[in-house]
Every structure is written in C-alpha cells, then in structure tokens.
Amino acid sequence: MKRGREDFRRLNRLRLGNTLLQVLLALLLLGALNYLGSRYYERWDWTEDRRFSLSPETRARLAQLAEPVEILVVLPSGGEGAPTERLLADLRRLLGNFRRVAREEGNPNLSVEFIDLYKDRRRAREVLGRHGVSTPESILVVSGSRLRQIPPHTLYETEAGRIRAFRGEAAFLTALLEVTRPEDEVLYFLSGHGEYGLESVDPVEGLSRLSTFLRTRGFAVESLSLGGRAAVPEDAGALFLVGPLTRLPPRELRLLREYLEARDGSLLTFLRPEGETGLSPLFADWGIRVGEGTVIDRSPGARTVAGDLLVRAYGAHPATRSLDELGLTVLLGLSRPVEADPQLAADPGTLKVEELLFSSGRSWAERDRRPGVPLRFEEGVDRVGPVPLAAAARRQSENRFRIDLDASLGGRLAVFGDAGFLANERLEAVGNRLLVLGLLDWALERSEELNVPAKPVRSYLVVLSDEELRRLLPMLALPASLLTMAGIVVALVRR
C-alpha cells in the first residue's frame, strides 16, 4: 500500500510538472508570437472602399512631419444613441490609423487626445482657453502657435439629409498642411493702381477687417507694389489684386505672368464694376472672360434694401463647397459677369476652368446702365441669367504630384466681377468670410488637390421572413454546438 501511494504521488507530481511545462511552453509560444507580431506584421483592408486604410499621400505626409503636431478632439461622449456617437467612432478609427502610421514610420511628432467635454470639464476648459477657442465642441489641430479648427459638420458629405460619405481624412490632412506650412509664406495685396487699401478703415474701399481676419488665422499679410521690382517675392503664397482703378503697366503684367506660369503661383483678382485694367489678355490665356455690363437680378430676395446682390447659387468647386452645403449667402455689390471660356486659352488642354458664383434665373447682364434710365432686359442685347459672377482656373503642371510631395501643382487664377464683397462693410457676412477661406484653401493647394477620396458610408439592412429566420437559426447554432461537443470530448479524454 505504501509503495502504491508513493507511485501515485510520483505520478501526480509528473502530471503536475507536465501541466506546468505545457502552460509554460504555451506562454512562451504566445510571447514569441506577440513579439514577432509586433515586429513583423501585415494589415489587410478587404473592404470595397478601403475605409480602414489611409491614402498614400496621407501616409507620406505623416512620415514627413518635421514639427510636433497635436490633434485635440473636444466632444461629449454621451454613450450609445448620442448625436456624436457616429462622429466619435469615425474619428477614433481615423486618428487611430494616423497614430499607427506615424509610429510605423518612426515619426514621434504626432499626438492625439480625445477629451470628453462633460466628464473632463477641467481639461476641456484648459485646452479651449489656452487656444482661445470659444466653441465648446471643437476639433483642433495645433503645431506651435498655429491652430486650425475643423468644424464637425464639415466631416461628412450629405445628400437629401442623409450622410453619404466621411471625408475626415482629407479634412485632417488639410489641417496638418496648414499648421505646418512654411512660416515665410505671405499673402501679398498689390498696390499702386488705386486698389482697396489693406489697412484702410473706409467701409466701402477699406480692407482692414479682412487684414485682421486673415492675421488672426495665422496668415502673414503685407502690401506689395511691383513698381521697380524684378520679380514677385519668393515668399509669396498668393497675390490679391482688389479693385484696381487704372491699367497695370506692361512690365507688371509680365511679372504676374511669370509668377503664374513659371513659378506656379496663385493670383486672386477682384474687379470694380467698371473700368479697364489691361488684364483681359492675361485672363483670356487662362480661359476666363470678363463680360460687359452689370448684373441685375429681379428675383425675390436677391437684393438687399441697400441694393446689394444676394448670391445663393454656387458651382461645384472646392472654394464654394462649404457655402453650398451650409446654404449660406454671399453678399456682393455691383458685379460684372465673369465666365469660363477655355477656348480662349493658348493651351486649353492644360487648364481646368470653373465658374464659382451665379445670379438667379431672373437676372441679366445690363449693358446700358445709365443714371435716370430704367433698367430693362433687352432681348438680343443683354445676357440672360443665370449669369456667372466669378471663375477660377488651374493650370495642370506636367509634374503634378500623386505621392511626390515636392512636385508642383500648377498656377491658379481666380477672377471675381466684384471687389466690394471684401470691403469692411460686407465682410461681416458669414458667407463672405467662408468664401475667402475657401479661396485660400484652393489657392494655397490645401483642398481638392489632396489625393484623398471621401469614404462612402454604407448601411445594410437584413430583412428576413419568419420562415427564413427559422431555417437560419439551426445553421448559426451548428458551429457553436460542434465546438461545445469538441470541448466536452477533450475534457473527458484528459480525465
């Protein structure tokens, strides 16, 4: 009996040692797999629209971040069913991919923080106060003293009130580009030809509010006279020509051509309702025609009491996308017609010309506008509406990038038939301000040129009859039953 008990104890010890050894080997195997997985792993996205993947350009930009960038998402969680539930889920997935790619590329310059507006109020107040943001629900991209705020409503494309696509990747990439752009990039306002004054407080022809508006958003703004200069300054991000009264000299026109064509620059031009500037040949080379006359609109609600033109019709262009989606109004003064005509250009194959703003269908371009003469549409003389009020052209450079971040995108030219919407008395209109920012995003190559498509949002509804559900349940239960039976058999064998 004693010997039997010793054998039994020895056998138990062997079994225990064997079990411990198996557990140890299993842990070592799991550790080895985790180590190999952390060092060498592949990630596949088999979804139809690659919704869990970042575009090649985004990956390239994240790899090349040279300065620390902080992404701060200040939103209430609210739990299931909250208005921000879908937004937070999409943001966590997207920004998680941002962090993962930056980590894979060995770039430590990106940090992401989600702050619950209600559960972590102290942190939310500290972040919003430090950056001077008054909007409680905010998404901020910060690098040093530079800040870009992303309105949550701009992260989705909608159609008939339904969410159609998530364009968060493009929005965050645009913000990254803005807060990390070179500090020496300057917006120059041309002077010397009777233009609106950059620092003037005059309500009709002053741009002091525009100057302040741009500077508070991180732009360097300066006045520039081309007289006596050999070229447009190298640090020019874009040129503004607002309301010139006189013709530009041929030498200055040549400098503008060189800036647009040889240096792929951006020129934003805003004309007075009358007067000759000598710019028509330049506009024609870029497929833009400035028409004759002044736009008159008789549509109800198209004019203010003061006679300003209310514009609510927009072209499908990045500069006006937000205006169209939000249903905002742009407030214009007297405007000339400005239309796209690519056939005027010497090389139309390299141009993309689009019209931006339109008057209503009850408008026309009045060619004979004289004091004391009633305004009346004349068939065969006046152009019938809708009349285009602005156009933008982009010349496609031969080395336009796909992933090569140093390649040029080609020059850009925008022409507006009215300069007054930038003046102090009209800039307070929300639509006018948003149009300025949209133009700058386009002119400074931060919008549609990003090779980042929006991710479609798809919903799937499975509809089953009672009979189909009864047939489906056994099929779903079978794998679970087989797995349970296998577990019971293994347990019995081991006993």
Side-chain angles (χ1 to χ4, degrees):
M1 286 292 292
K2 186 176 181 180
R3 180 167 182 161
R5 283 196 298 271
E6 290 293 332
D7 291 342
F8 182 73
R9 289 171 181 166
R10 188 180 301 110
L11 182 59
N12 280 341
R13 284 195 294 270
L14 287 174
R15 285 179 175 175
L16 179 60
N18 182 52
T19 302
L20 292 175
L21 182 60
Q22 290 182 40
V23 172
L24 179 61
L25 290 175
L27 291 175
L28 289 174
L29 178 61
L30 287 174
L33 290 175
N34 278 321
Y35 173 77
L36 292 174
S38 65
R39 296 292 301 273
Y40 313 99
Y41 73 96
E42 289 293 333
R43 190 171 181 267
W44 294 278
D45 184 356
W46 292 343
T47 56
E48 179 183 355
D49 47 36
R50 300 188 62 79
R51 61 179 303 185
F52 299 105
S53 302
L54 298 180
S55 68
E57 185 185 345
T58 300
R59 298 180 66 93
R61 296 286 184 185
L62 290 173
Q64 294 187 8
L65 281 180
E67 304 171 8
V69 175
E70 190 177 12
I71 298 177
L72 301 163
V73 180
V74 185
L75 293 172
S77 58
E80 187 175 352
T84 57
E85 180 188 6
R86 164 175 258 171
L87 175 60
L88 281 171
D90 288 336
L91 288 176
R92 290 186 191 280
R93 182 180 66 247
L94 173 66
L95 298 179
N97 282 339
F98 272 47
R99 279 188 290 203
R100 176 182 57 79
V101 169
R103 186 169 59 249
E104 288 175 1
E105 300 294 340
N107 194 328
N109 287 325
L110 180 69
S111 66
V112 178
E113 182 181 0
F114 284 82
I115 303 170
D116 192 306
L117 182 60
Y118 299 141
K119 295 180 180 179
D120 196 356
R121 295 186 180 184
R122 179 177 298 178
R123 175 64 176 155
R125 283 197 301 266
E126 186 269 326
V127 166
L128 297 177
R130 171 159 40 100
H131 297 294
V133 176
S134 58
T135 309
E137 297 183 9
S138 298
I139 302 172
L140 312 177
V141 180
V142 184
S143 180
S145 61
R146 312 180 80 173
L147 167 71
R148 174 68 184 257
Q149 188 171 357
I150 302 176
H153 71 267
T154 64
L155 296 177
Y156 290 101
E157 291 180 3
T158 59
E159 185 175 325
R162 297 174 62 89
I163 294 177
R164 190 171 64 87
F166 179 61
R167 59 176 183 226
E169 182 180 349
F172 277 96
L173 181 52
T174 297
L176 286 174
L177 294 176
E178 179 168 336
V179 299
T180 57
R181 71 176 184 267
E183 289 285 354
D184 59 356
E185 193 173 66
V186 180
L187 304 180
Y188 282 108
F189 283 71
L190 298 181
S191 62
H193 320 93
E195 293 89 348
Y196 287 20
L198 180 59
E199 304 301 335
S200 171
V201 297
D202 183 82
V204 179
E205 296 191 4
L207 301 177
S208 59
R209 287 183 175 176
L210 177 61
S211 173
T212 302
F213 175 74
L214 295 175
R215 287 190 172 107
T216 56
R217 280 152 182 80
F219 294 100
V221 179
E222 295 183 19
S223 181
L224 172 69
S225 173
L226 293 178
R229 283 187 172 270
V232 173
E234 291 293 330
D235 60 358
L239 300 182
F240 280 71
L241 181 58
V242 185
L245 270 174
T246 60
R247 297 177 65 94
L248 273 68
R251 191 186 65 81
E252 294 188 16
L253 289 173
R254 177 176 56 80
L255 295 182
L256 293 179
R257 285 183 181 276
E258 291 175 356
Y259 170 70
L260 285 170
E261 298 168 5
R263 291 171 48 188
D264 297 326
S266 295
L267 173 62
L268 308 179
T269 307
F270 308 87
L271 304 175
R272 297 175 185 263
E274 297 176 348
E276 178 55 53
T277 62
L279 291 165
S280 295
L282 174 63
F283 296 161
D285 287 347
W286 285 75
I288 296 176
R289 182 199 303 273
V290 178
E292 298 180 12
T294 304
V295 177
I296 306 299
D297 200 330
R298 295 301 192 194
S299 175
R303 286 280 180 185
T304 67
V305 175
D308 289 337
L309 182 63
L310 299 175
V311 177
R312 300 184 179 92
Y314 308 105
H317 189 273
T320 56
R321 180 186 297 136
S322 294
L323 293 168
D324 191 27
E325 292 181 352
L326 295 175
L328 295 177
T329 299
V330 171
L331 184 63
L332 298 184
L334 291 176
S335 179
R336 304 186 191 191
V338 178
E339 61 185 310
D341 191 352
Q343 298 309 311
L344 293 174
D347 189 6
T350 65
L351 278 177
K352 182 178 182 181
V353 190
E354 299 170 274
E355 294 168 345
L356 305 183
L357 310 176
F358 299 89
S359 59
S360 76
R362 294 186 59 184
S363 64
W364 72 91
E366 176 66 48
R367 292 193 177 188
D368 188 21
R369 186 173 182 273
R370 291 175 293 171
V373 178
L375 298 175
R376 185 181 298 107
F377 173 72
E378 296 184 40
E379 188 76 33
V381 177
D382 298 327
R383 172 174 176 164
V384 66
V387 181
L389 308 168
R394 170 171 55 85
R395 193 173 292 281
Q396 206 166 12
S397 178
E398 292 181 359
N399 58 346
R400 178 184 175 184
F401 82 83
R402 283 293 182 253
I403 305 176
D404 177 9
L405 305 182
D406 296 323
S408 173
L409 295 177
R412 295 165 186 239
L413 172 66
V415 181
F416 283 73
D418 172 52
F421 82 95
L422 296 178
N424 293 330
E425 67 176 351
R426 296 190 182 94
L427 192 68
E428 290 303 304
V430 175
N432 292 28
R433 293 187 171 210
L434 198 58
L435 178 56
V436 170
L437 293 179
L439 281 170
L440 284 174
D441 277 348
W442 173 77
L444 299 175
E445 305 170 357
R446 300 184 202 139
S447 50
E448 85 289 356
E449 295 306 333
L450 300 177
N451 190 24
V452 182
K455 306 288 187 184
V457 176
R458 294 186 173 91
S459 299
Y460 300 95
L461 177 64
V462 179
V463 180
L464 296 175
S465 67
D466 291 343
E467 180 62 28
E468 291 170 331
L469 184 59
R470 281 194 292 270
R471 288 200 303 264
L472 181 62
L473 283 177
M475 298 173 60
L476 296 176
L478 182 60
S481 301
L482 291 176
L483 185 61
T484 302
M485 293 176 61
I488 294 172
V489 171
V490 170
L492 292 173
V493 170
R494 290 182 64 85
R495 289 182 64 186

